[in-house]
Amino acid sequence: MPEDTTQLARLRTRMLATAYSNADFWTQRTAFLTDQAVAALARRDPAAGEDLAASLLAPAILHDTQILGAAVEAGIDTSTWEERREKTRTYAREAYELPPQFDPVTEAKRIWASLYDHYPQIAATLIDFLQGLPPTWREDLFTSSPHSPAATRRTVLELPGPETAPYDPLDWEDCPACAEAQDQCRYHRGTFTGMEHQRALITTALTDHTAIDQLQQRHAELEATTARTTAADTSTSTSP
């Protein structure tokens, strides 16, 4: 991009490229809506749009006073925000704070505390299950030949991280399980995958003439089946 490009053009290029390329649903959506909001402002007030774009591109750290001040000015109740932030930080595992080789004891305590807090019945059942294992369970599970199929599977497969915090199907931004995993939880990742699959089907249906013909044919077959069923039900109800 040329050095004389305006801040607005730089920001819009970055936002739209992020919306197009990023795999995260909320990152895509936030980037696109930010682009649209700044573009709308620039149409009404080009100078204000340029200033806002420059501030968005500036790597300045936001402080609590700035955020809370804007919330107070907007008349927003912030009394529960501190508790919400502390709760999120409790379950969030910041990637930059974790050493490359995290301490298994610390991680085990964290997982157990979260499991006990959210799913005490599962925690109790887990204790019963472990107590019922044979005395050699540790050697049976964690000691194997490096050439065995089990050892190969354990090193090749990338297992999903534990999610003991409950997911919230109605809230993508404040889901405890997403916060704990520092990513989309399995529920929301599956929902997003389903949305992507549905979008791909819709795109195919709108652009592929063969698919359109097949859909129309199938729709006609379903309508004919429904009509025959309705006619049969009507005939049965009116017969003596």
Side-chain angles (χ1 to χ4, degrees), residues 1 11 27 32 55 87 95 131 140 142-144 162 169 188 197 215 221 230 232 237:
M1 182 177 294
L11 177 67
T27 301
F32 179 72
S55 65
K87 180 180 179 181
Q131 290 177 340
D140 295 341
F142 301 110
T143 303
S144 61
H188 286 121
H197 179 66
L215 284 175
E221 292 174 355
T230 303
S237 61

Side-chain angles (χ1 to χ4, degrees), residues 172-223:
W172 288 63
E173 295 181 336
D174 196 29
C175 170
C178 290
E180 182 185 46
Q182 277 292 281
D183 195 358
Q184 290 179 329
C185 66
R186 284 190 283 271
Y187 174 85
H188 286 121
R189 188 182 302 115
T191 301
F192 175 73
T193 301
M195 293 168 60
E196 287 291 296
H197 179 66
Q198 185 180 34
R199 184 172 68 176
L201 290 177
I202 294 174
T203 302
T204 301
L206 294 176
T207 57
D208 190 331
H209 297 294
T210 301
I212 293 176
D213 294 339
Q214 292 176 346
L215 284 175
Q216 292 176 341
Q217 180 181 356
R218 180 56 178 164
H219 183 68
E221 292 174 355
L222 291 175
E223 283 188 334

Side-chain angles (χ1 to χ4, degrees), residues 113-134:
S114 184
L115 181 66
Y116 179 79
D117 185 33
H118 294 294
Y119 302 104
Q121 293 179 332
I122 295 179
T125 304
L126 179 61
I127 292 176
D128 294 338
F129 174 76
L130 293 176
Q131 290 177 340
L133 292 177

Side-chain angles (χ1 to χ4, degrees), residues 9-22:
R10 291 177 182 273
L11 177 67
R12 294 205 64 186
T13 300
R14 179 176 299 181
M15 291 296 98
L16 292 176
T18 299
Y20 183 82
S21 305
N22 201 284

Side-chain angles (χ1 to χ4, degrees), residues 22-231:
N22 201 284
D24 180 75
F25 171 80
W26 285 105
T27 301
Q28 285 184 314
R29 182 175 176 82
T30 301
F32 179 72
L33 293 181
T34 300
D35 167 78
Q36 295 296 289
V38 176
L41 175 62
R43 286 192 292 270
R44 297 176 61 90
D45 189 340
E50 183 72 7
D51 291 341
L52 178 58
S55 65
L56 288 172
L57 289 172
I61 298 176
L62 285 175
H63 299 285
D64 288 353
T65 52
Q66 294 174 271
I67 302 172
L68 295 177
V72 171
E73 183 180 355
I76 299 173
D77 180 18
T78 63
S79 59
T80 61
W81 284 14
E82 182 66 25
E83 179 183 357
R84 173 179 174 178
R85 181 168 68 175
E86 290 303 318
K87 180 180 179 181
T88 300
R89 287 178 175 176
T90 299
Y91 297 109
R93 292 181 292 177
E94 299 293 347
Y96 62 87
E97 292 181 356
L98 287 176
Q101 298 293 334
F102 61 86
D103 178 20
V105 175
T106 302
E107 188 70 1
K109 290 180 179 179
R110 187 199 65 79
I111 294 175
W112 173 256
S114 184
L115 181 66
Y116 179 79
D117 185 33
H118 294 294
Y119 302 104
Q121 293 179 332
I122 295 179
T125 304
L126 179 61
I127 292 176
D128 294 338
F129 174 76
L130 293 176
Q131 290 177 340
L133 292 177
T136 59
W137 68 269
R138 183 184 296 272
E139 291 77 11
D140 295 341
L141 289 177
F142 301 110
T143 303
S144 61
S145 168
H147 305 291
S148 67
T152 304
R153 286 197 301 270
R154 189 180 300 120
T155 56
V156 171
L157 293 179
E158 182 179 352
L159 299 178
E163 295 165 12
T164 54
Y167 64 81
D168 187 346
L170 301 180
D171 194 342
W172 288 63
E173 295 181 336
D174 196 29
C175 170
C178 290
E180 182 185 46
Q182 277 292 281
D183 195 358
Q184 290 179 329
C185 66
R186 284 190 283 271
Y187 174 85
H188 286 121
R189 188 182 302 115
T191 301
F192 175 73
T193 301
M195 293 168 60
E196 287 291 296
H197 179 66
Q198 185 180 34
R199 184 172 68 176
L201 290 177
I202 294 174
T203 302
T204 301
L206 294 176
T207 57
D208 190 331
H209 297 294
T210 301
I212 293 176
D213 294 339
Q214 292 176 346
L215 284 175
Q216 292 176 341
Q217 180 181 356
R218 180 56 178 164
H219 183 68
E221 292 174 355
L222 291 175
E223 283 188 334
T225 301
T226 302
R228 287 195 299 270
T229 302
T230 303

